[in-house]
Amino acid sequence: LPWLLGTPLTVDGGQLDLTYDNARQLFEIAPSSLLFGTSVIKFGGTFAKGQHPTEGPGWSLNLAALPGSNVADDRGQVIAPVTNGTLSGFVVPDLGRVILSQFQAKIADTELRADGFATDVTGAIQGRLDGRIGTTPVALLKGLWPRALAPAARTWVTRRITRGQLQGGTFKLAVGDSQTGGAGQTSRASFAMEGTGVDIQAMEGLPPLDVPRMLVRLEGTSLEINAPDAAFVVGEGRRFPLKTVRLTAVDLTGDHPT
């Protein structure tokens, strides 16, 4: 994906059934599938030559999820089915421009939407991806989090956050020239979401932390969690209360976030 710069989105397997109709200048994608870890996306659609109202000639892409798609965890257990999903976009090869007009999916009761663009995808990429996610159980968020995006942070979350509900939020990926004076390009992620009824096993040897309500913010490589109150559960019926809790982590894109 262009918004991840050089970080590949790993596809672990799949089957693509593609035919081309020269008369209509159209690729037809018959029922096909991709495997991401143990999650399966089955889809079909078209990739057809056309005219964009503002970008000029190119190719339009329209895909739809098919029955049998699901999101699974790292152990291979299915978390939720993909009950609906569509993607529409446009590619302008001469300009190296990719437009994601609309992506929407419903996974169990969770809705996910995104749109964006990228230019000069073979060179100095510029672009953005904006999205919104609805109410999401923590278990499902673990399955939706791509392994290519901040893998060390993903590992921490999947192991340490054991329960809870995220009440919806927004996310953004922006890619472009470095704004910090360094050479090269940067890809910056931002994310904000509220959570309720969360259990966190923060460190080995510590009792679980019960967080009734929290706000999670990710900006670039830094993560911040704020909660008005929380409590360590030190035994049955025994709690050690905390007030105004703030947790921070930095270098989430590295191998050892702190």
Side-chain angles (χ1 to χ4, degrees), residues 163-175:
R163 182 181 69 90
Q165 188 93 343
L166 300 174
Q167 301 301 319
T170 60
F171 61 89
K172 180 176 181 178
L173 288 173
V175 59

Side-chain angles (χ1 to χ4, degrees), residues 35-228:
L35 185 66
F36 300 93
T38 51
S39 298
V40 179
I41 302 299
K42 297 185 177 182
F43 62 96
T46 60
F47 188 48
K49 194 167 186 179
Q51 186 82 15
H52 192 276
T54 59
E55 302 296 334
W59 292 81
S60 63
L61 176 65
N62 291 280
L63 300 175
L66 300 175
S69 301
N70 62 66
V71 175
D73 62 20
D74 291 344
R75 298 170 295 175
Q77 296 180 346
V78 174
I79 303 171
V82 179
T83 53
N84 181 270
T86 59
L87 181 151
S88 60
F90 200 83
V91 180
V92 187
D94 290 346
L95 301 178
R97 187 169 177 86
V98 176
I99 302 167
L100 178 61
S101 305
Q102 183 185 62
F103 167 76
Q104 69 86 24
K106 188 171 184 182
I107 305 161
D109 293 325
T110 297
E111 294 187 356
L112 179 65
R113 296 180 180 274
D115 62 76
F117 74 92
T119 61
D120 196 11
V121 296
T122 60
I125 300 174
Q126 301 277 340
R128 63 161 181 79
L129 181 70
D130 296 296
R132 176 173 291 275
I133 187 169
T135 301
T136 310
V138 166
L140 180 55
L141 180 66
K142 295 176 183 181
L144 291 174
W145 190 332
R147 286 178 291 172
L149 187 60
R154 180 185 183 275
T155 297
W156 190 93
V157 168
T158 56
R159 291 179 179 177
R160 301 298 187 183
I161 299 182
T162 58
R163 182 181 69 90
Q165 188 93 343
L166 300 174
Q167 301 301 319
T170 60
F171 61 89
K172 180 176 181 178
L173 288 173
V175 59
D177 295 332
S178 174
Q179 301 298 312
T180 61
Q185 294 181 285
T186 61
S187 179
R188 182 179 180 87
S190 59
F191 173 86
M193 181 172 275
E194 294 184 358
T196 58
V198 177
D199 284 351
I200 302 175
Q201 187 68 52
M203 294 180 62
E204 295 292 343
L206 285 180
L209 184 65
D210 178 22
V211 185
R213 184 165 58 92
M214 69 178 185
L215 176 64
V216 183
R217 290 185 182 274
L218 172 69
E219 286 292 339
T221 61
S222 298
L223 177 72
E224 181 176 289
I225 299 175
N226 287 284

